[in-house]
Amino acid sequence: MPHELTRLEAARAYERREAASIPAGDRPAFHLTPPVGWMNDPNGFCFYDGLYHLFFQYYPYDTVWGPMHWGHATSADLLRWTYRPCALAPDTPADAAGCFSGSGVPLPDGRLLLIYTGVQPGAADGGRDAQMQCIAVGDGRDFAKDPANPVIPAGLLPAGFDTADFRDPKIWREGDRYYCVAACRHRQDQGSILLFESPDARRWKFVTVLDSSRDRLGKMWECPDFFPLGDTQVLLISPQEVCADPDGALHPGDITAALLGRYDPAAHAFARQAVQAVDDGLDFYAPQTTLAPDGRRILVGWMQCWAATRQGPRPHRWYGRMSLPRELFVRDGRLCQRPVREIETLWQAETRLTGVTVEAPAALPGIRGRCLDLSVTADAAANPGCRGFVLHFAEADGRFAEIRWDAQAGGLLVDRSRCGTRQDLPHIRRVPAAPRAGRLTLRLILDKDCAELFVNGGERVLSALIDAPEQAAGISFAALGAPVRLDLVQHPLAACPPVAMF
Ligand code: FRU
């Protein structure tokens, strides 16, 4: 009898064969894409056995969402990735309808534990799929699912919580205890983050509800993360169906939010003090963090939005990518981000222009490309009549993506509607932006169709996919009101597409 492949073996054979047929040039230069097929949320992001491990929601067989597997990649520097074999497939009764998002933690015995949401077909009220938390333990390549799965079953949920929306566990170790936060929908309080505790990551008990939306911050919350950053405690969430406030600080729809506050670990009490978007852009969701060995808190998100996934085009045999990993820090009460410093290892020859005065739309010598790290500093006090400037990128044949800083309008705008896209989606985002010490700084990281903009040293980040042809590499500047004085530093970025080690 020929051996029939398990679902995991089939996925591994398929990705090995198909990934080999995708040319490296078909991928971004350094943003991680799936070997083949579909990718969504980052999962199991951790530093284990000398490498960063990044797993992800994965359906290898098509460029649309399907029964969820976990894909896997490793890297020493968060930029040069190696594909590893698919880690989890939906192949047990506890996860027959999918291995949804989750996280990872190295165990004291040297093994790596993954905790994820197992989806059981038809097991919730009304025949809906049920979601419960499962674990798998392994050596960083092969993982054995625990026969006791689900280890956090519906029975552990307090009254009023719905097992049909109970997912995305994020685990960490604290002394001799394990904790995990997971998202769940409550009948009245809606999106909620639940805290669980365990002595061994297998036997769990419910501890408390850390926070809830109560109809003010979306409906269901997804993909929590919970960690201290200096004196601040951060609860990251991805709320769905957010209704924008009148001040427009959060855009409507599915967003990412950071709840900043204080945490009393003895009482397990989280006191929320502030709410902000994690990323104000058009394509960013479900971020997850890990602690680097040097103490940096690194965040990576799915650089896509669900709304866009319902439309074409699908130009490649892969779909979905991860954001550039970012270092988190708190400044003036805000969660801020900067690109991981490892990006400097991709820097090519520098172009530096100092004190350039721009008025009418103009290209500047040497400033051009679709794969670059470009910093622009505007001296807001140099010319009294100047109220800001406009930067066009991915420009060719009258099409472009636009960044517009207008001090009078009080903000910064990113607009990709005229870059050549045919998608009927939101294309514009506006955020407040004011000079700091007389200067407004922008850092634009471009990697073909991935654009990530860091404003004023990372107090705001806007990520967006730019649906413009790759040859559209023009960059130009124009002043608003009166000439603007700019300092620019540009580094083209070297390509380091993932290598396969299946
Ligand atoms: C977020 C999410 C998670 C879920 C996963 C399924 O994008 O909806 O809540 O675990 O995607 O793929």
Side-chain angles (χ1 to χ4, degrees):
M1 276 279 282
H3 162 69
E4 203 180 310
L5 293 184
T6 64
R7 283 189 91 167
L8 185 64
E9 288 167 344
R12 287 178 166 189
Y14 182 82
E15 65 181 0
R16 189 182 327 120
R17 189 176 68 238
E18 300 301 320
S21 70
I22 299 178
D26 257 19
R27 302 183 186 273
F30 53 89
H31 283 74
L32 181 67
T33 50
V36 61
W38 164 277
M39 162 195 273
N40 59 291
D41 317 353
N43 294 158
F45 188 26
C46 64
F47 191 84
Y48 169 74
D49 204 15
L51 292 173
Y52 293 98
H53 288 247
L54 183 57
F55 302 81
F56 46 87
Q57 290 287 278
Y58 182 37
Y59 183 59
Y61 305 110
D62 203 344
T63 52
V64 295
W65 192 89
M68 279 291 112
H69 296 55
W70 275 35
H72 186 194
T74 56
S75 173
D77 65 0
L78 299 158
L79 296 166
R80 297 165 176 86
W81 293 98
T82 300
Y83 288 133
R84 311 301 305 263
C86 177
L88 300 175
D91 55 9
T92 68
D95 58 25
C99 300
F100 277 17
S101 283
S103 53
V105 69
L107 295 174
D109 67 8
R111 295 177 303 158
L112 179 61
L113 179 137
L114 306 179
I115 183 163
Y116 65 97
T117 300
V119 185
Q120 299 175 22
D125 299 348
R128 297 169 304 155
D129 291 353
Q131 304 183 340
M132 300 175 210
Q133 316 323 317
C134 299
I135 57 172
V137 177
D139 59 2
R141 180 188 193 276
D142 299 306
F143 297 87
K145 293 179 181 173
D146 198 305
N149 281 336
V151 293
I152 308 187
L156 287 190
L157 286 175
F161 283 98
D162 187 353
T163 184
D165 273 315
F166 177 30
R167 56 182 176 269
D168 309 339
K170 174 73 201 284
I171 191 169
W172 71 96
R173 194 149 66 94
E174 223 172 278
D176 60 353
R177 320 293 294 170
Y178 292 86
Y179 290 93
C180 102
V181 283
C184 197
R185 189 193 294 264
H186 186 268
R187 228 177 282 129
Q188 274 104 44
D189 295 342
Q190 301 171 326
S192 301
I193 303 305
L194 276 44
L195 178 70
F196 295 87
E197 182 184 322
S198 167
D200 56 7
R202 292 189 78 215
R203 290 165 296 149
W204 291 92
K205 67 170 196 210
F206 167 76
V207 180
T208 192
V209 178
L210 289 174
D211 206 344
S212 297
S213 83
R214 290 186 202 91
D215 214 18
R216 282 203 291 278
L217 188 54
K219 300 281 185 186
M220 176 59 185
W221 287 357
E222 301 187 307
C223 301
D225 200 341
F226 193 55
F227 52 88
L229 202 57
D231 298 336
T232 306
Q233 186 73 21
V234 182
L235 178 56
L236 293 184
I237 51 171
S238 293
Q240 298 177 307
E241 300 172 63
V242 169
C243 190
D245 284 343
D247 67 4
L250 301 172
H251 67 77
D254 295 354
I255 70 163
T256 55
L259 314 183
L260 309 183
R262 299 271 166 248
Y263 184 55
D264 174 353
H268 300 300
F270 175 68
R272 189 205 301 182
Q273 295 170 323
V275 180
Q276 68 171 87
V278 178
D279 188 305
D280 289 286
L282 293 148
D283 298 287
F284 191 83
Y285 196 66
Q288 187 171 96
T289 74
T290 195
L291 205 53
D294 60 10
R296 289 177 296 165
R297 178 62 64 170
I298 313 283
L299 172 132
V300 64
W302 180 43
M303 196 170 168
Q304 207 86 47
C305 68
W306 279 106
T309 66
R310 295 186 259 281
Q311 297 191 20
R314 296 280 201 267
H316 307 292
R317 294 210 44 221
W318 54 267
Y319 184 89
R321 74 275 279 160
M322 292 297 155
S323 73
L324 178 64
R326 303 147 181 201
E327 299 172 13
L328 296 183
F329 59 102
V330 174
R331 191 177 70 194
D332 301 338
R334 276 191 71 79
L335 179 69
C336 302
Q337 304 168 49
R338 62 172 85 85
V340 283
R341 59 199 65 170
E342 286 84 346
I343 194 160
E344 293 173 23
T345 66
L346 301 181
W347 281 0
Q348 312 284 84
E350 173 178 300
T351 303
R352 185 178 284 268
L353 305 176
T354 306
V356 185
T357 298
V358 175
E359 188 167 15
L364 296 174
I367 306 292
R368 178 185 169 79
R370 277 294 285 275
C371 196
L372 49 79
D373 183 345
L374 173 66
S375 290
V376 181
T377 303
D379 183 345
N383 281 323
C386 174
R387 12 176 264 275
F389 69 97
V390 178
L391 188 171
H392 286 174
F393 64 99
E395 190 169 36
D397 306 324
R399 297 211 166 103
F400 50 80
E402 178 169 296
I403 300 168
R404 173 180 291 256
W405 174 56
D406 186 336
Q408 218 161 48
L412 184 123
L413 172 145
V414 170
D415 178 354
R416 64 174 181 194
S417 61
R418 289 163 287 168
C419 72
T421 184
R422 294 172 198 279
Q423 292 191 288
D424 182 13
L425 287 170
H427 288 304
I428 299 178
R429 289 270 191 259
R430 282 189 184 79
V431 294
R436 291 176 68 86
R439 287 164 180 273
L440 193 286
T441 66
L442 302 179
R443 184 169 175 192
L444 176 64
I445 309 275
L446 261 186
D447 178 1
K448 301 186 183 176
D449 62 350
C450 308
E452 290 164 275
L453 180 67
F454 297 79
V455 183
N456 278 343
E459 69 185 24
R460 302 260 174 187
V461 187
L462 297 101
S463 302
L465 296 177
I466 304 299
D467 196 3
E470 215 176 297
Q471 317 76 264
I475 297 182
S476 68
F477 300 83
L480 294 175
V484 63
R485 220 178 103 97
L486 302 175
D487 295 337
L488 300 103
V489 184
Q490 173 192 275
H491 292 96
L493 294 167
C496 54
V499 293
M501 198 164 93
F502 290 124

